[in-house]
């Protein structure tokens, strides 16, 4: 039997435990039982601070998305790096646009776009396009580490090269082995920023 804790339990400690579980085991490993075991407490103590797993996931996402008042490129890179460090985060951010982390991302992007002179529909359209790009591109990584990522890209390159002789496909396949997700992600942000500035 796990000994019960004697110190105070807080929402912050519950969220920190949830983030650790998510980082170690992914979303499938995050259960209220796992959290109670990690914190040596009972379900009632957890439910006092969070209503359910969805609320806990949203709180965990909010905890790991760290954004300041940065320019768009740095803000986008902060989201990319957060998703890279916490692979479960991409799916969570895509799950519910009303959660606090997504609102903060949107607000950060919207604020910076407004400073660039966008207003009204242009601001809404550009903000939605950029936030969707940032969340989608950052979450598209499919391997847990660089070695697995390299293997994945090599297999994908071979599959593409073998499936279509078109020169465009062959060139893309040849470039995949040297592909750098972060550099390509930033190139996409830069293309977007040039488009709204021009």
């Amino acid at each position: 039997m796990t000994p019960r804790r004697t110190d105070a339990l807080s929402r912050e400690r519950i969220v920190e435990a949830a983030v650790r579980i998510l980082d170690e085991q992914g979303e499938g490993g995050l259960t209220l039982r796992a959290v109670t075991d990690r914190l040596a407490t009972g379900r009632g103590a957890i439910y006092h601070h969070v209503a359910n797993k969805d609320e806990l996931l949203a709180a965990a996402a909010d905890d790991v998305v760290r954004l300041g008042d940065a320019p768009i490129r740095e803000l986008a890179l902060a989201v990319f790096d957060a998703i890279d460090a916490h692979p479960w985060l991409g799916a969570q951010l895509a799950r519910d646009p009303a959660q606090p982390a997504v609102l903060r991302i949107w607000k950060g992007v919207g604020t910076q776009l407004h400073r660039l002179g966008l207003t009204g529909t242009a601001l809404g359209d550009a903000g939605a396009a950029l936030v969707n790009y940032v969340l989608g591109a950052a979450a598209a990584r499919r391997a847990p580490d660089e070695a697995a990522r390299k293997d994945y890209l090599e297999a994908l390159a071979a599959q593409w090269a073998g499936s279509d002789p078109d020169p465009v496909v062959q060139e893309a396949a040849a470039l995949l082995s040297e592909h750098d997700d972060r550099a390509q992600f930033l190139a996409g942000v830069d293309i977007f920023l040039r488009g709204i500035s021009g």
Side-chain angles (χ1 to χ4, degrees):
M1 185 167 137
T2 304
R4 293 286 182 213
R5 66 183 314 110
T6 58
D7 55 340
L9 186 64
S10 66
R11 181 180 173 90
E12 180 179 272
R13 292 189 68 187
I14 293 167
V15 170
E16 288 171 0
V19 169
R20 285 193 308 272
I21 292 167
L22 287 162
D23 287 347
E24 294 165 6
Q25 301 173 33
E27 187 177 334
L30 182 65
T31 63
L32 290 178
R33 180 171 199 84
V35 176
T36 60
D37 288 350
R38 175 81 50 124
L39 295 172
T41 192
R43 285 179 173 280
I46 301 295
Y47 283 124
H48 178 74
H49 296 281
V50 292
N52 53 44
K53 183 177 177 177
D54 289 340
E55 183 181 329
L56 187 54
L57 281 163
D62 194 45
D63 186 64
V64 299
V65 174
R66 305 281 180 206
L67 305 173
D69 185 25
I72 289 173
R73 193 171 199 273
E74 284 77 18
L75 189 149
L77 192 55
V79 174
F80 181 92
D81 289 343
I83 292 173
D84 196 42
H86 307 281
W88 54 270
L89 181 60
Q92 174 57 32
L93 292 174
R95 180 174 290 125
D96 179 11
Q99 65 187 297
V102 175
L103 178 60
R104 276 194 297 116
I105 293 167
W106 214 108
K107 181 181 176 184
V109 167
T111 298
Q112 296 305 321
L113 290 173
H114 189 264
R115 288 179 182 159
L116 292 173
L118 274 69
T119 60
T121 304
L123 175 63
D125 291 347
L130 185 55
V131 169
N132 285 327
Y133 170 75
V134 167
L135 295 180
R141 294 177 53 101
R142 300 196 188 285
D145 57 51
E146 287 309 310
R149 181 69 177 156
K150 185 169 178 48
D151 291 344
Y152 168 77
L153 290 173
E154 287 175 0
L156 182 61
Q159 183 181 5
W160 283 9
S163 68
D164 192 328
D166 185 281
V168 172
V169 174
Q170 294 299 311
E171 183 178 1
L175 294 172
L176 271 176
S177 65
E178 300 302 319
H179 174 78
D180 180 327
D181 289 337
R182 197 169 200 260
Q184 187 178 49
F185 174 78
L186 286 174
V189 172
D190 290 342
I191 289 168
F192 178 87
L193 291 173
R194 281 193 304 273
I196 64 169
S197 298

